[in-house]
Amino acid sequence: MRIKFLSLSLSLSLSLSLSAMLSSIALRFKASGSTNRRFIATVISGIKTSKLVRDRLKVEVDQMNQQVPGFRPSLVVLQVGDRDDSNLYIRTKLKAAAEIGIEAKHVRLPRSTTQDEVLQSIVAVNQNPAVHGLIVQLPLDSAHQVHSQLVTNTVCPDKDVDGLSCINAGRLSRGDLDDCFLPCTPNGCMELIRQTGVAVEGSHAVVVGRSKIVGSPMLDLLLWSHATVTCCHSKTSNLPEQVSRADILVVGAGRAEMVHGDWLKEGAVVIDCGINYVTDETKAGGRRVVGDVHYASAYQRAGFITPVPGGVGPMTVAMLMENTVRSAQRFLSRSTTGR
């Protein structure tokens, strides 16, 4: 009987040990990421998200009108020259403003306009209390030399709804997010990231590109949202290795499909700010639009990804409208408090 009991105990002990060992191996196998799972990314639609933003802003504009009958946020779009691409962008902005209830005015100056004349036009809008937002459409299409940075810095910081002036950029870099206008494209990217439900705080974010309009302010927004941020650029060595560490990846380098899917960390959030044209004989115009990320391969590995077109682009316009509404709200607040 004793021998039978010892045999049963030994059998049970071996069974438990084997079970524990198998469980441990399974856990290590799962942790190593070697399950060969194939990700299919969730597409983050900028078209749908921008509509949510515009619908919310329309309600806020209606509320302002109820508070002060006849009051509407006012936006001026200043253009120099007559570039076809600029005309298209401006029409998109004017249409979005009309849908929300923003009074938008398009001021077009001829190509013969000098730098001093451009600056005088900006100062005139700065001094007009009925205007809450002013954007200068870039690039400037002038027959004369006009310094873009001087032009954007002449826009009053309180009306700089593009968020491009040095004052607003400086406030952002210091983390004074409540005291500045956030650049529209990076702010739109942040809204798209929020739509995923993925926490920015504590994540490792990688930004590819360091432009003044996208990359640099994107880095600041992620940093002050408590992510650990790596900024990559043309001098970065071993870019694929840097990208592979990203929980959140934002690409704005201006190079068609430069980031490949096999660079990505599985399940990463991928925000593609690129707008590039590549040859495609199957299209009517002989070319098509692609982003900075190779979408087909990234789609198989990312957790979330923005399409091009239909991703970041619509959000840029939506956040411009948001900044204009915020400026109008601040104006009303100062008017009612007497400050």
Side-chain angles (χ1 to χ4, degrees):
M1 178 67 74
R2 184 176 180 184
I3 293 174
K4 186 183 290 187
F5 177 76
L6 288 173
S7 176
L8 181 62
S9 297
L10 181 59
S11 176
L12 181 60
S13 177
L14 288 171
S15 177
L16 290 173
S17 297
L18 180 60
S19 176
M21 182 176 68
L22 289 173
S23 296
S24 176
I25 292 172
L27 286 171
R28 287 199 301 270
F29 189 67
K30 182 178 180 181
S32 69
S34 54
T35 58
N36 292 324
R37 177 185 173 187
R38 192 177 188 184
F39 275 83
I40 298 297
T42 298
V43 178
I44 318 167
S45 172
I47 296 173
K48 292 180 180 178
T49 305
S50 66
K51 185 179 185 306
L52 293 175
V53 173
R54 294 197 309 271
D55 289 346
R56 170 172 53 79
L57 293 176
K58 188 177 187 305
V59 171
E60 294 181 17
V61 170
D62 289 342
Q63 290 173 343
M64 283 189 281
N65 186 260
Q66 292 174 11
Q67 180 183 349
V68 180
F71 179 84
R72 294 175 65 190
S74 174
L75 172 68
V76 169
V77 182
L78 182 65
Q79 179 186 14
V80 179
D82 193 25
R83 286 175 57 112
D84 289 339
D85 56 349
S86 293
N87 292 335
L88 175 61
Y89 297 144
I90 291 171
R91 284 196 296 271
T92 302
K93 294 168 184 176
L94 296 179
K95 181 181 178 182
E99 290 174 354
I100 293 168
I102 295 172
E103 183 178 355
K105 181 180 180 183
H106 179 198
V107 177
R108 181 188 282 123
L109 304 178
R111 289 193 75 249
S112 59
T113 305
T114 65
Q115 177 171 283
D116 285 344
E117 290 170 335
V118 174
L119 299 180
Q120 289 170 10
S121 297
I122 293 172
V123 170
V125 177
N126 286 344
Q127 294 173 346
N128 185 351
V131 176
H132 310 111
L134 167 62
I135 64 172
V136 180
Q137 186 67 41
L138 300 176
L140 300 165
D141 181 26
S142 175
H144 304 278
Q145 185 177 21
V146 181
H147 295 282
S148 297
Q149 187 168 332
L150 177 60
V151 166
T152 54
N153 284 333
T154 302
V155 176
C156 174
D158 289 340
K159 299 185 180 186
D160 174 30
V161 289
D162 254 343
L164 298 181
S165 70
C166 286
I167 290 178
N168 277 317
R171 289 170 178 168
L172 170 59
S173 69
R174 292 170 63 93
D176 299 331
L177 274 60
D178 294 330
D179 193 32
C180 69
F181 286 116
L182 303 177
C184 301
T185 297
N187 198 20
C189 292
M190 292 299 295
E191 185 64 34
L192 290 171
I193 294 169
R194 281 190 284 270
Q195 289 293 317
T196 69
V198 173
V200 175
E201 182 175 345
S203 67
H204 185 184
V206 173
V207 178
V208 181
R210 53 180 172 180
S211 70
K212 294 178 182 178
I213 295 177
V214 179
S216 293
M218 190 75 235
L219 184 153
D220 289 331
L221 279 173
L222 288 164
L223 181 66
W224 292 112
S225 297
H226 311 297
T228 299
V229 189
T230 299
C231 181
C232 300
H233 43 77
S234 59
K235 304 300 181 183
T236 299
S237 60
N238 202 352
L239 181 60
E241 180 181 343
Q242 298 295 338
V243 169
S244 70
R245 299 170 180 165
D247 302 307
I248 298 171
L249 175 68
V250 182
V251 188
R255 289 179 56 190
E257 300 180 323
M258 65 172 292
V259 174
H260 299 279
D262 58 5
W263 295 9
L264 303 178
K265 182 177 184 178
E266 287 189 342
V269 176
V270 179
I271 308 294
D272 189 351
C273 302
I275 301 177
N276 311 282
Y277 293 91
V278 297
T279 302
D280 188 340
E281 299 300 334
T282 66
K283 301 298 181 181
R287 60 179 189 168
R288 60 187 169 89
V289 180
V290 299
D292 290 352
V293 177
H294 186 268
Y295 186 86
S297 59
Y299 180 76
Q300 303 294 331
R301 193 168 177 88
F304 299 88
I305 191 169
T306 57
V308 177
V312 173
M315 293 304 299
T316 299
V317 176
M319 304 324 281
L320 171 63
M321 298 301 115
E322 174 152 319
N323 282 348
T324 303
V325 171
R326 295 288 164 266
S327 181
Q329 289 171 333
R330 292 173 187 174
F331 173 82
L332 278 185
S333 177
R334 288 193 298 268
S335 299
T336 56
T337 59
R339 291 187 295 174

